[in-house]
Amino acid sequence: MKVLVIGSGGREHALVWALTQDPEVEQVVAAPGNPGIAALRPAYDGQTVACRAVDISDHAAVVALATELAADLVVVGPEAPLVAGVADPLREAGIPVFGPSRAAAEIEGSKAFAKDVMAAASVPTGRAYVCKTPEQAAEAIDAFGPPYVVKDDGLAAGKGVVVTSDREEALAHAAACEQVLIEEFLDGPEVSLFAISDGTTVLPMQPAQDFKRLGDNDEGPNTGGMGAYTPLPWAPEKLVEEIVEKVVQPTVDELRHRGTPFVGLLYAGLALTGRGVRVIEFNCRFGDPETQALLPLLKTPLGGLLLRAATGKLADAEPLSWKNGASVAVVVAAKKYPEKPRSGDVITGIDQAEAGGVRVFHAGTASEVDEVVTAGGRVLAVTATGKDLDDARQRAYAGVGQIRIKGSQHRTDIALKAARGEITV
């Protein structure tokens, strides 16, 4: 197989790395990729890994590159090109694509659309009002009361949600958005469940949990995600089966019935409330940084799996197979992230960290002469596996300790409560 991966972040680095672990994959090209991908060593004789410059918002250029490479599969990583419809011309060119059509990607592109789909499919979620004016937002905010949940209806790179007890802050966020959803607050621990879909059949991955707030103890501003871990030792038995039955399969069925089958990765962000499972949001692609934590534990070869989904053949696939143990990913972010992350700071210590047994997935990096420098808010995801969460945590944080970036920041409590057995449902 020859696989083209679209994107340049930590999620794409993890996808490319996992594809090199599949002996059926001969070549992986990332467009545009990043320095970490460019430095990957192929896992098997005869494999090649490369990066190609391309404007992923230029659909014709993406199709031309896939055609030039004679790609057997295109995997689209980020949400923005999916919501913009990059998968559609690729499919029209006869190229198998792992990633939903523009119409199906609206499940992430518009939270109002997602709520409509959930209502039609009887999927459990929080009550919400769609608001287009400050007056409507104020009325909805007062109807729910604190804590207030205000969500930008469109794409916001994981940072479009404000959860606050400050009414003025909630109103200010609503006023800054063209259209918002005001939702009821959902209590209980959060779970991320990824499900691979060919438009009809779904194959769930094991659940993970990510950490959205910048600081320890879930303090500070919302981010794109500061770390993740898997599995969830506190998760109720049969949780995955329940989520598939009540959430994922009905959503995939509803999209197919609408004539917009969802082919790709459906990400369900959920709260395990006192009233049961509730959907917080859907995403139309692999989550970041959960992907960096999940893929090192996946035993099932990734290339063949994604190709089956892209070609409508998941019904013939076996349930996914996982390694024993646990995985923890800790994000190292640039100075002043998430407001105004600083770029151009030299990164050192990656080789030493990886020599200690961790995997360092690049997210916001760039190459300058013979140095790697920061080029984004979330710079790296330092990922370690271990016999249990405590072991994986120790390994991951030992790796973080090897890396030097001026002014960098990271959380120190990723997976800590779970490792201590302090999470209950």
Side-chain angles (χ1 to χ4, degrees):
M1 290 177 60
K2 296 179 181 179
V3 185
L4 172 61
V5 176
I6 302 298
S8 61
R11 161 188 46 226
E12 289 76 41
H13 188 175
L15 286 166
V16 172
W17 171 81
L19 287 164
T20 68
Q21 309 307 300
D22 185 341
E24 298 299 315
V25 173
E26 174 188 0
Q27 180 182 26
V28 189
V29 174
N34 64 40
I37 296 173
L40 272 177
R41 295 179 181 85
Y44 297 94
D45 291 340
Q47 276 187 332
T48 59
V49 178
C51 295
R52 290 284 297 270
V54 72
D55 178 357
I56 62 175
S57 67
D58 184 342
H59 297 178
V62 173
V63 174
L65 177 58
T67 303
E68 175 197 334
L69 296 171
D72 299 296
L73 174 68
V74 177
V75 179
V76 184
E79 63 274 19
L82 287 168
V83 172
V86 71
D88 296 324
L90 286 162
R91 286 197 175 95
E92 289 167 7
I95 301 167
V97 184
F98 185 82
S101 65
R102 178 174 187 164
E106 275 295 278
I107 199 77
E108 179 171 0
S110 168
K111 293 177 177 62
F113 174 80
K115 288 289 188 182
D116 182 68
V117 170
M118 284 187 272
S122 299
V123 170
T125 187
R127 294 177 296 124
Y129 295 104
V130 179
C131 304
K132 297 184 178 181
T133 68
E135 293 76 21
Q136 290 174 344
E139 185 176 347
I141 283 170
D142 292 337
F144 281 127
Y148 309 107
V149 181
V150 185
K151 296 182 178 181
D152 190 335
D153 183 47
L155 293 180
K159 299 187 286 289
V161 180
V162 165
V163 181
T164 180
S165 293
D166 185 330
R167 184 175 182 274
E168 294 306 313
E169 182 184 1
L171 290 171
H173 183 64
C177 305
E178 186 173 333
Q179 179 168 291
V180 297
L181 269 71
I182 311 297
E183 295 191 1
E184 67 172 319
F185 177 75
L186 298 174
D187 62 339
E190 295 186 10
V191 172
S192 300
L193 187 79
F194 296 0
I196 294 165
S197 171
D198 64 1
T200 301
T201 302
V202 298
L203 277 182
M205 303 185 84
Q206 68 182 29
Q209 186 178 60
D210 77 334
F211 295 73
K212 288 295 187 187
R213 298 286 186 173
L214 179 68
D216 287 359
N217 302 311
D218 294 324
E219 296 179 352
N222 220 34
T223 73
M226 293 300 293
Y229 69 94
T230 186
L232 311 182
W234 49 267
E237 189 178 2
K238 304 292 185 183
L239 175 64
V240 172
E241 291 88 340
E242 179 185 2
I243 295 170
V244 170
E245 178 186 350
K246 294 182 178 179
V247 174
V248 177
Q249 191 67 61
T251 301
V252 169
D253 291 344
E254 174 62 22
L255 289 169
R256 185 178 67 256
H257 294 154
R258 293 181 178 214
T260 56
F262 188 97
V263 177
L265 194 289
L266 184 63
Y267 167 139
L270 309 132
L272 305 190
T273 75
R275 295 172 292 145
V277 171
R278 296 289 186 272
V279 175
I280 299 170
E281 65 176 354
F282 281 121
N283 292 331
C284 65
R285 38 69 193 183
F286 281 98
D288 185 343
E290 296 98 326
T291 302
Q292 292 92 306
L294 279 162
L295 291 183
L297 291 182
L298 180 66
K299 289 173 67 176
T300 302
L302 186 65
L305 176 65
L306 302 188
L307 182 61
R308 279 181 179 272
T311 54
K313 298 176 181 177
L314 269 189
D316 301 330
E318 296 291 328
L320 302 186
S321 178
W322 298 90
K323 300 172 186 175
N324 294 326
S327 179
V328 173
V330 179
V331 169
V332 179
K335 186 175 182 178
K336 296 187 178 179
Y337 175 76
E339 290 84 10
K340 294 181 179 179
R342 195 168 72 184
S343 295
D345 288 314
V346 175
I347 306 168
T348 61
I350 292 177
D351 290 343
Q352 292 93 319
E354 292 193 322
V358 303
R359 301 197 184 281
V360 180
F361 294 116
H362 292 228
T365 67
S367 294
E368 285 190 1
V369 192
D370 57 351
E371 294 179 324
V372 177
V373 300
T374 61
R378 292 183 297 165
V379 181
L380 305 167
V382 181
T383 304
T385 58
K387 65 180 186 294
D388 55 28
L389 281 178
D390 187 58
D391 185 30
R393 268 181 48 81
Q394 291 186 37
R395 293 169 183 264
Y397 279 106
V400 170
Q402 296 285 321
I403 293 169
R404 295 287 180 270
I405 305 171
K406 188 176 181 180
S408 67
Q409 49 190 327
H410 65 272
R411 286 183 62 153
T412 66
D413 64 347
I414 303 301
L416 180 59
K417 289 182 178 180
R420 289 177 172 174
E422 295 176 359
I423 302 178
T424 57
V425 180

